[in-house]
Amino acid sequence: MKEKKSIWNREIEVPFLHVFPALPADFSSWAAFLCVSLFIISPFIVGALCLIHHSIDYTIYTHPVIFNNWIWPISALTGGISIVIELWQKQRERSKLRVWLRDNPGIMFFFGLVIWMVLSTCINGWNSYCLYGDSIHLRFETIFMQLGYFLIVFPAAILVRYEQKKRIIVRLHEGVCLFLAITAFVLWKTQIDSVFFIWTPRVTAIYSNINYYGYYLSVSIPLSAAMFIAESKAEWKVFSIVTLMVNTVTLSYNNTMGAWVACTFAMLFLLITHGILEHKINKQAVFVVTVYLLLLVIFGVVNGNLTKNFAQLFADLFGIATHAENSNHAGSGRWIIWKRALKLIADSPVFGIGFEGVCARGLKEYAKNTRVHNEYLQYTLFYGIPAGLFYLAGIFGVYIRALKWRIDLTRISLVCLTGAFGYLVSAFFGNTIFCTAPFLFVFLGMGYVNDNGNG
């Protein structure tokens, strides 16, 4: 009797596929390039409008409208098209999809996360927060957007295979973040006070919170530092070092401690990875890290933020270590939020409390905040411990793959992984926000080592 193959061991084939004409080989890559580029330029569009109006109320209203009504739908459409076309072409070429999936466990872990997120949401309920997001706390993020990070943004970014396209996107990001730094200082001194809530103008650029701009800088500064090393032409090296310097000064005035920590650890990541890949200390890496540290220290002393932040950091650590009475306020109140989140996770370990569950279940008084201020705890709290493990495994899968296939890791892909690493460190202190979270998946995907040696 002939043994019947399992579904996993059989390839799924689409009948009559040969009837349709073949598309150019790089068509999916160009569609993915458009998807990613829209995310990159969106801060420029918002920044240009904010410079015209100089109103924080206008900024808060306009940013989510532009992003959610235009940038996200068009990016999702073009990214989805790129993925469908790629799968279609693999079918035409008789590529073994199950073999590809087996060789890409990071993608499989993210797919497992998506399934668990949907299960969790079905069990906890599809409430208004899932469908429309939390506009009261200015996050404007829906469950569909979070699913889109893993189903569209990340895989589409992987399809931006070729180094030339990646280089264009990274340079474009450098230009936008340079413009945004200038915007931040202009608006700091000229922005009109809000008529809706108490607002003290600070170095936030197009964002409503210094932390949100800190998330963006946590990607941009390491990216520019890595790009200085990756560039071969003098004029582009100058462009990258100027971008690094301007954004580091901006980081000092922005005064988000989590972003300071994130950028510093990303700089160490840059030094270590170049040391592993080149089997020696990279002098250019030492140079950019030195420039970053000097500027952060010098301007931190000038504006007083350095002394104040480090004094607070040591006080917080000492308070936690000695169980001091005020230790719950450590990390701008994050310590008590994390402790309460862990208790909530223990109460709902398998499927969590649902997307924006703190708001949906009225737990703000207990949790001391509507979000966890730690993205790893956030995924775990919302969707359960398995979801948190899937998320971590997917991230580790990308970096382990880069280490395993480091012979195929191009300089520009390492640049992208460095930018993503900066975000991942800042994620220990932050939340997913509609206008910043996509940058993690953009650069994590573009740093993914492809099988064809193009990244």
Side-chain angles (χ1 to χ4, degrees):
M1 185 174 178
K2 190 176 180 181
E3 187 179 351
K4 192 175 181 181
K5 287 186 177 181
S6 69
I7 294 175
W8 178 252
N9 289 325
R10 293 201 305 267
E11 288 299 325
I12 300 172
E13 294 187 6
V14 181
F16 312 116
L17 195 62
H18 63 278
V19 174
F20 298 97
L23 292 170
D26 63 342
F27 191 91
S28 61
S29 183
W30 277 111
F33 176 83
L34 178 58
C35 166
V36 169
S37 297
L38 285 170
F39 285 119
I40 298 299
I41 66 172
S42 60
F44 173 81
I45 297 170
V46 178
L49 291 171
C50 291
L51 284 176
I52 296 172
H53 294 273
H54 294 272
S55 167
I56 185 62
D57 292 335
Y58 176 85
T59 302
I60 290 172
Y61 171 77
T62 304
H63 197 169
V65 169
I66 290 175
F67 192 91
N68 291 337
N69 292 2
W70 295 97
I71 301 296
W72 176 251
I74 298 173
S75 295
L77 177 62
T78 53
I81 289 172
S82 71
I83 296 165
V84 170
I85 291 172
E86 181 69 14
L87 294 174
W88 178 25
Q89 290 176 329
K90 283 187 178 296
Q91 280 286 326
R92 288 186 63 91
E93 297 164 5
R94 306 291 183 182
S95 298
K96 293 186 179 295
L97 184 60
R98 67 179 177 85
V99 174
W100 184 83
L101 290 172
R102 182 196 65 197
D103 293 340
N104 294 270
I107 295 174
M108 289 296 292
F109 284 126
F110 279 155
F111 187 64
L113 171 58
V114 165
I115 294 173
W116 208 267
M117 288 168 69
V118 173
L119 284 173
S120 169
T121 308
C122 289
I123 290 169
N124 286 292
W126 293 82
N127 53 58
S128 61
Y129 290 103
C130 295
L131 302 176
Y132 308 111
D134 183 3
S135 59
I136 296 174
H137 299 97
L138 308 178
R139 285 190 285 267
F140 300 100
E141 185 184 43
T142 67
I143 181 68
F144 304 108
M145 188 176 290
Q146 280 201 348
L147 291 171
Y149 300 155
F150 305 99
L151 288 175
I152 297 176
V153 183
F154 175 68
I158 292 176
L159 296 180
V160 184
R161 294 189 185 91
Y162 303 101
E163 188 163 353
Q164 183 181 9
K165 290 189 180 76
K166 292 182 182 181
R167 195 174 292 273
I168 291 171
I169 289 171
V170 173
R171 286 172 178 169
L172 184 62
H173 181 85
E174 286 184 292
V176 172
C177 74
L178 188 61
F179 169 77
L180 217 58
I182 298 168
T183 301
F185 282 101
V186 172
L187 292 178
W188 183 26
K189 298 300 181 181
T190 63
Q191 206 164 44
I192 302 169
D193 290 344
S194 172
V195 296
F196 298 112
F197 60 95
I198 298 173
W199 170 254
T200 303
R202 300 175 75 179
V203 182
T204 59
I206 62 173
Y207 303 98
S208 58
N209 190 301
I210 60 169
N211 293 321
Y212 302 167
Y213 190 27
Y215 306 158
Y216 184 82
L217 290 171
S218 296
V219 174
S220 304
I221 290 172
L223 198 77
S224 298
M227 197 59 176
F228 173 83
I229 302 169
E231 294 285 15
S232 56
K233 294 184 178 180
E235 58 269 28
W236 286 113
K237 279 188 175 293
V238 171
F239 177 62
S240 292
I241 198 67
V242 168
T243 304
L244 169 67
M245 294 170 70
V246 171
N247 279 282
T248 301
V249 173
T250 306
L251 175 67
S252 174
Y253 281 90
N254 167 259
N255 197 27
T256 302
M257 188 62 183
W260 288 29
V261 173
C263 290
T264 302
F265 272 88
M267 292 298 179
L268 290 175
F269 173 85
L270 189 62
L271 282 171
I272 293 168
T273 51
H274 274 281
I276 293 172
L277 294 172
E278 300 166 17
H279 305 289
K280 62 179 181 179
I281 297 175
N282 186 295
K283 293 180 180 178
Q284 293 186 80
V286 173
F287 171 71
V288 291
V289 171
T290 303
V291 169
Y292 161 77
L293 291 174
L294 281 175
L295 287 173
L296 195 61
V297 170
I298 291 169
F299 282 90
V301 170
V302 169
N303 57 37
N305 290 334
L306 184 73
T307 306
K308 182 173 63 177
N309 279 337
F310 275 96
Q312 187 62 53
L313 176 62
F314 286 117
D316 288 346
L317 292 175
F318 180 78
I320 292 169
T322 58
H323 302 285
E325 195 172 322
N326 64 344
S327 63
N328 282 334
H329 299 290
S332 301
R334 282 174 173 79
W335 186 243
I336 189 172
I337 296 170
W338 293 346
K339 291 199 298 184
R340 295 293 178 90
L342 288 171
K343 289 181 180 178
L344 289 172
I345 290 169
D347 292 338
S348 304
V350 181
F351 292 107
I353 63 174
F355 177 75
E356 297 288 15
V358 176
C359 292
R361 297 191 181 191
L363 297 171
K364 180 181 177 182
E365 187 63 30
Y366 176 81
K368 300 301 180 184
N369 205 285
T370 56
R371 279 279 184 99
V372 187
H373 288 275
N374 181 308
E375 293 186 24
Y376 306 99
L377 289 179
Q378 177 189 307
Y379 282 106
T380 306
L381 176 62
F382 283 2
Y383 309 113
I385 293 174
L389 294 175
F390 275 132
Y391 182 63
L392 287 172
I395 290 167
F396 277 116
V398 175
Y399 284 91
I400 291 171
R401 180 181 176 85
L403 180 63
K404 181 179 178 181
W405 298 102
R406 56 187 176 274
I407 192 171
D408 294 323
L409 179 65
T410 63
R411 282 194 164 193
I412 198 68
S413 292
L414 179 57
V415 169
C416 296
L417 288 177
T418 304
F421 188 85
Y423 183 97
L424 290 168
V425 177
S426 76
F428 277 99
F429 316 100
N431 304 308
T432 57
I433 306 296
F434 76 98
C435 52
T436 56
F439 289 103
L440 166 63
F441 299 96
V442 162
F443 290 112
L444 198 65
M446 289 206 304
Y448 198 85
V449 178
N450 283 294
D451 300 323
N452 56 8
N454 289 309

